[in-house]
Amino acid sequence: MSMETLLKIREMGREIKRKRQNEEINFGYMTAPCGLPCFECYLYLAQFDEEMAETIAGVHGLSKDEIKCKGCRAEGGQCAHLAMECRVYKCIEKTNMKTCAECNDFPCEYLHPYSDQAMKPHNTKVFNLCRIKNVGIEKWAKNEAGDILDKYYYGTWTL
Ligand code: SF4
Ligand code: SF4
């Protein structure tokens, strides 16, 4: 995906969030067990804007309906656009834990980052989960989740 398209999607995402800013979000439900903030995800936000859905569908080579996602838990751990089963979801659904941040084995191999997926948000999972562990889901969701994703995609590397 070109930076131009990525920036266009970012602007559309911001506009959708502005329009929805007074809506209440259940952050516990809308945070995937792996620590991805579904409430910030472009595939989730695409449900609320047809132009956004069309742009993302074009990038993925799928239809608008195929890319729209209601969130990890609502989709039963099966991201709309991915054919593969999620190992994290399969693992945690056998427990009473909300996220991997509560697990004694955290961070396990299922949360490993991969360079070939670096343009997807999955490499942010462990950092998100560490922050959830430190400050709790609500604070992380309201104050940090959007910024973490934004810095991941658009930020400048720093020490
Ligand atoms: S695509 Fe993945 S991260 Fe995005 S809303 Fe769906 S389950 Fe959540
Ligand atoms: S073992 Fe723990 S950290 Fe790993 S996927 Fe399962 S719940 Fe998450």
Side-chain angles (χ1 to χ4, degrees), residues 1 17 50 60 71 75 77:
M1 189 188 321
K17 284 195 285 175
E50 285 304 299
H60 287 279
E75 301 280 354

Side-chain angles (χ1 to χ4, degrees), residues 148-159:
I148 291 170
L149 212 51
D150 201 64
K151 280 200 179 107
Y152 177 67
Y153 280 124
Y154 309 100
T156 305
W157 179 78
T158 185
L159 278 177

Side-chain angles (χ1 to χ4, degrees), residues 32 36 38 41 43-44 69-72 79-81:
L36 286 182
C38 295
C41 176
L43 302 187
Y44 172 71
C69 183
K70 293 184 173 66
C72 175
C79 284
H81 64 301

